[in-house]
Amino acid sequence: MSVRHRRPLFATAVLVAGAGLALTACGPDNTDPVAGATASATGAAPAAPSTAGAPATSRPATHAPKSPAATSRPGGTDGGNGAAGPCDIQNLSIHLTARSGAANQYVIDVRNTGGSACSLSATPGVDLGNSTARDQSKNLKPVLASGTERFTVPAGHNAYVAIDVNPSGATTGTVPGINEINVLADDDGTNMPLANTQNFPLPSGAKVLDPKMGVYRASVAEAVASLAAAPK
């Protein structure tokens, strides 16, 4: 995965081909083991198209700002009784992992590596696109499960979000050229600049159609349950 400075989006934006890409599992608290290799954020790269199997260079994200929501208690959403401030991107480790036994599903795993609890928006900012395209205005945004309250992540703990890029399992009529998932850990639009969007290649040949995504949860099992509640 790479961290890229992204050009203004609704005008132009993107996603990357991961031929034979490895996505590494990350998160010791995961109760739903994930298989396959995981892509993880490492460092900033100069703006330029990536080659297959490597993270693409930076582009502006397409996420529209949302109004900040109430902060939740650690590991949950309680309508604002918690006191954790927004997470700092410098204290987050972010990974994307293919979910074992569930074709087309991935888990976004955000670990709080800081020394105190912090909070994230109810869902990350996510879109799917082509890493080499100059025009990213047609990037796909997943349909979201309901939820607006911020999610608190204790120090040393993880927050998980499940995303299904092809819920119907369609083999025809899928969107061509989608090879990358772009993730902004906090999507409220005020706490984390769009330049902190991180880019994860999808496996070569991944089929994408009508993606949907759940909300942040303290375990993969809970994240998958919230994904099931997303509108079809």
Side-chain angles (χ1 to χ4, degrees), residues 74 77 118 124-125 158 209 216 225:
T77 53
C118 66
N158 297 50
L209 182 66
Y216 277 122

Side-chain angles (χ1 to χ4, degrees), residues 65-147:
K66 298 189 295 187
S67 299
T71 301
S72 69
R73 65 170 174 257
T77 53
D78 65 355
N81 294 327
C87 292
D88 184 332
I89 188 65
Q90 301 301 320
N91 294 328
L92 297 179
S93 174
I94 305 168
H95 303 273
L96 179 76
T97 307
R99 185 171 169 245
S100 177
N104 308 316
Q105 290 189 10
Y106 299 85
V107 174
I108 298 168
D109 173 4
V110 180
R111 183 172 182 81
N112 178 6
T113 61
S116 59
C118 66
S119 67
L120 296 166
S121 51
T123 62
V126 169
D127 64 49
L128 300 90
N130 187 298
S131 61
T132 62
R134 295 182 64 84
D135 180 6
Q136 299 181 17
S137 64
K138 296 182 180 179
N139 279 12
L140 301 179
K141 286 182 176 292
V143 173
L144 304 179
S146 61

Side-chain angles (χ1 to χ4, degrees), residues 2-5 42-46 58:
S2 64
V3 180
R4 304 197 298 254
H5 298 294
T42 52
S58 112

Side-chain angles (χ1 to χ4, degrees), residues 15 104-106 126-129 138-145 162-170 173-175 178 180-181 202 207-214 227 230-232:
L15 291 192
N104 308 316
Q105 290 189 10
Y106 299 85
V126 169
D127 64 49
L128 300 90
K138 296 182 180 179
N139 279 12
L140 301 179
K141 286 182 176 292
V143 173
L144 304 179
I163 179 170
D164 193 330
V165 301
N166 184 6
S168 67
T174 55
V175 182
I178 302 297
E180 186 176 60
I181 296 180
L202 286 172
K207 296 184 181 300
V208 178
L209 182 66
D210 300 327
K212 65 179 184 177
M213 185 172 71
L227 170 64
K232 296 183 179 180

